[in-house]
Structures are given as structure tokens and as C-alpha cells.
Amino acid sequence: MRSLRDLMDAQPRPGRVDWIGTRPARRDEMLALPEVQVTEAGLEGDHGRPGKRAITLIQAEHLPVISALAGAEATPSVLRRNLVIAGINLATLRGRDVTIGGAILHITGPCAPCSRMEEALGPGGYQAVRHHGGWCAAVIRPGRVALGDAVSV
């Protein structure tokens, strides 16, 4: 029988990058990209901040949940996260290093929704995104990330 620690550390399969987006300046529209260079400060061309919140990620499987709770379509552009990841539970990666394409990121903690979600999704948008808003990450090793790239511990 496997220990609880083994079960908690195991990932049954890698995830994949489903969407990449940057925003050149605060409040600018998101630009969907097929690939991007990850620098030490975050995604090239993104206005984000270096450090623990250099890159934001969201679970693809949470988009329909947010949409249902908000009563409006929650697209990656609306939610303003940099990477949409499918097929792997991002919550289980908190505090761990993950390889995404040619880059290595450290998942630092949850990415709380901002008040702009009320603007983007309508009344209740903030509450719809709570606990589904994704994760922040620091850059450990820069590299290229493209749509379809694997995400693994």
C-alpha cells in the first residue's frame, strides 16, 4: 500500500498548456499567443511583476465552473491569467517546481480575483472566481512555452 505522502506527491499524467496570454500594460486587452518566451521577470511582453507573482496560471477545468457561478462566459482573456493549464490539478503543485515547455516555474500560492471581475463578469463575478482564480508562480529557469507543451513536476 502506498503512503499518503506518495499519493500526494504522485501526478498520474502531465498537464498541457491550453492558452497563453499577455497584457502589454495594466488594463490593456489580453493578447492570445501561440508561444512566448519566459524571462526571469515573467512572460515577455507582459506588464506583470517579477518575483512570486511573475506568472499567473489557471486550471482549464475551472473555466466552466466560474462561468456557471457568474452566469457569464469566463474566458481566459476575461480572467486575465497568463497560462491556462489542463489535465493536471494545479492546487496539488503549490510549493513545487514545475516544468512547462522549456521553463521551470515555482508555484507560490493562490491568485486571488481582483475587483475587476465584477466589471468583466457582472455582479457576483468576484465571488464566482474566488477559490477558482488560479495560481501565481515565480520563474526558476527561463525558457520558451508554447501551446500544447507538457506541464509536469
Side-chain angles (χ1 to χ4, degrees), residues 62-145:
H62 287 202
L63 298 179
V65 173
I66 296 168
S67 295
L69 294 171
E73 187 178 8
T75 64
S77 309
V78 166
L79 298 174
R80 308 183 67 72
R81 301 298 183 246
N82 297 126
L83 302 175
V84 175
I85 307 298
I88 193 169
N89 185 347
L90 291 176
T92 67
L93 304 178
R94 183 179 189 171
R96 300 179 77 180
D97 292 349
V98 294
T99 301
I100 302 179
I104 297 176
L105 306 181
H106 181 78
I107 308 299
T108 56
C111 189
C114 67
S115 60
R116 185 157 185 213
M117 292 300 103
E118 292 287 306
E119 249 179 75
L121 296 170
Y126 178 84
Q127 289 290 10
V129 179
R130 282 184 71 199
H131 302 291
H132 300 287
W135 298 87
C136 297
V139 177
I140 302 300
R141 184 183 78 202
R144 197 128 197 98
V145 171

Side-chain angles (χ1 to χ4, degrees), residues 16-25 28-39 41-49 53-58 63 75-85 100 105 111 135 145-148:
R16 73 177 177 282
V17 177
D18 270 6
W19 190 85
I20 301 168
T22 60
R23 50 204 178 277
D28 271 4
E29 293 295 318
M30 294 292 289
L31 304 174
L33 305 169
E35 64 180 15
V36 70
Q37 180 65 36
V38 175
T39 69
L43 300 186
E44 190 173 86
D46 190 61
H47 89 288
R49 55 188 98 148
R53 296 184 53 146
I55 297 176
T56 57
L57 305 91
I58 192 164
L63 298 179
T75 64
S77 309
V78 166
L79 298 174
R80 308 183 67 72
R81 301 298 183 246
N82 297 126
L83 302 175
V84 175
I85 307 298
I100 302 179
L105 306 181
C111 189
W135 298 87
V145 171
L147 293 176

Side-chain angles (χ1 to χ4, degrees), residues 11 13-16 59 61 85-90 93 151-153:
Q11 295 296 332
R13 64 190 89 26
R16 73 177 177 282
Q59 185 89 40
E61 292 80 2
I85 307 298
I88 193 169
N89 185 347
L90 291 176
L93 304 178
V151 178
S152 59
V153 177

